[in-house]
Amino acid sequence: MKICIVGAGYVGLTSASVLADLGHTVCCVDTNKEKIKSLNLGEVPIYEPGIKELISKNKDNLTFSSNVVNTISKYPVILIAVGTPSLPDGKTDLTYIHSVVDLIAETLTSYKTIITKSTVPPGTNEEIHNRLIQKGIAPELFSVVSNPEFLREGSAIFDMMNADKIVVGMKKNDKKSLPIMKSIYQGLEAPYIMTSLSGAEMIKYTSNAFLATKISFINEIARICDKYEVNIEDVVRGISTDPRISPHFLQSGLGYGGSCFPKDVRSLEHSALEKNITPLILQAIQATNHTQVDFYIDKLSSAFDNLPGKTISVLGIAFKPNTDDTRCSRAVQLIDKLSQLGCKVNTYDPKATLPFIGKANIIQYTTLEQSVTDTDCIIIATEWDEFRQLDWKKIKELMKGNVVLDARNCIDPSSIYELGLDYIGVARS
Ligand SMILES: NC(=O)C1=CN([C@@H]2O[C@H](COP(=O)(O)OP(=O)(O)OC[C@H]3O[C@@H](n4cnc5c(N)ncnc54)[C@H](O)[C@@H]3O)[C@@H](O)[C@H]2O)C=CC1
Ligand SMILES: O=C(O)[C@H]1O[C@H](OP(=O)(O)OP(=O)(O)OC[C@H]2O[C@@H](n3ccc(=O)[nH]c3=O)[C@H](O)[C@@H]2O)[C@H](O)[C@@H](O)[C@@H]1O
């Protein structure tokens, strides 16, 4: 099958490499000429384990182009994977989606299956269908399919190849799209969840909102445990043998970040408010998440007579391990807040780069050793394996002070205490 993937971001590139690996002829297009140029030179503009190798393995049937119109016009299957960021009021910005749909409308002369993989609010795919009709495209010339994506950054290839489901939303009278979707994903052993266009959109938002709920819930419980000197890990162990609860997504820490949970929970709140539903739980999830970084800074302040002026090494910049993505990273927010408080911040990340430059009291180092040297305190802000396995004896020799704040509950407090360092965590008694 010939598939054009629109958008060479995390989802577009993962889809392109996986679908090419499944044997399809794939062209991935993007308006960002620099991105396409580097992809055509064999470079991959994002860090995602395994993606470079998979692109290279499938180079015979995977191409990249910045000629979006030309490619869209030639391919019968268009998979849209462009960004859907938040507007200031939380509503989803559909500008990129609309511009792709308009390009499809301009060039459509033979039947196309238009698949929306980007996360879009309930009602969007119906709007896409109506937009094409309003532009004079005959309904028998196209089908719109909602096919949301559930991969995680850092394990994107694995997640797509081992999907636990393939959600397909279609219009009631659509008889053509299901066989096309099944042949696109032929080779993946995942159950199909069939629903309406808006049903598929709601499944995606509900999934992300539910996962974000688990995180904010456990962070709130950790705050209570902290006051009663109870170890949060004991509590999680104690509840998670119950299959109704499960052990997943109950890691307390700085809170959720990334390009999706913050924007998608806000977007779902916005969709609810538009229909006069007050989404109290969605609002509470966000309120807890927004105050997590401050909660950790308060904990840190209690370890010093005067926090401003101290030199702090923040280990981790990415919003989670195994990615270079810093969008809505809690680590970045922590770095920014500490610098605003008057601390000197050294930072280091194995893959990610600070999204801002030129702040006098923030320095990103290229080695961990440089970042921790002569610091009063070390904060683990992203739980990269490299930070879980630190040689704390060596680190202690490099540091000036003796405080370690584990903001991701990823190190064993006893290994820190043994060396005479002070371990600070939330609910890690
Ligand atoms: N990042 C993730 O882990 C996941 C993201 N999603 C959803 O997938 C969508 C894409 O997310 P990411 O891949 O992270 O986005 P991204 O921001 O990494 O990439 C989007 C790409 O689309 C390109 N683009 C924008 N307008 C275009 C146009 N008119 N024609 C061609 N290319 C265009 C941009 O230049 C950019 O390279 C979003 O809706 C997101 O919510 C869903 C599941 C996982
Ligand atoms: O729609 C999306 O974009 C994707 O959003 C998340 O994937 P992702 O953002 O890549 O990463 P997660 O592993 O879900 O982590 C999100 C945030 O939650 C935090 N988190 C995660 C798990 C946990 O137990 N505790 C916790 O604080 C992470 O540190 C990170 O900041 C979902 O897990 C994917 O299923 C979904 O496809």
Side-chain angles (χ1 to χ4, degrees), residues 6 9-11 30 35 82 84 99 118-119 149 153 263 327:
V6 188
Y10 288 84
V11 171
D30 202 294
K35 245 184 202 184
V82 296
T84 49
S99 71
S118 300
T119 303
E149 180 50 54
E153 288 179 28
K263 88 168 164 66
R327 290 179 284 182

Side-chain angles (χ1 to χ4, degrees), residues 149-153 204 208 211 215 249-251 255-257 260-261 264 319-320 408:
E149 180 50 54
F150 298 88
L151 64 80
R152 293 161 298 173
E153 288 179 28
K204 174 63 194 172
N208 275 4
L211 293 168
I215 299 168
F249 267 70
L250 290 174
Q251 180 73 37
Y256 63 78
C260 292
F261 284 176
D264 292 347
F319 84 95
K320 63 181 272 189
R408 288 291 176 186

Side-chain angles (χ1 to χ4, degrees), residues 114-116 120 125 144-148 167-170 196-197 200-201:
I114 302 160
I115 304 166
T116 310
V120 292
N125 278 288
V144 172
V145 178
S146 174
N147 173 225
V167 173
V168 177
M170 299 186 322
S196 61
L197 291 174
E201 293 159 344

Side-chain angles (χ1 to χ4, degrees), residues 25 38 50 54 98 109 145 148 183 230 235 263 272 295 305 307 317 331 349-350 365 387 402 404 414 427:
T25 301
S38 70
L54 202 61
H98 289 153
T109 49
V145 178
S183 89
V230 172
V235 174
K263 88 168 164 66
F295 192 81
D305 291 337
L307 186 60
I317 296 173
D349 189 284
Y365 287 98
F387 306 154
N402 61 349
V404 177
S414 61

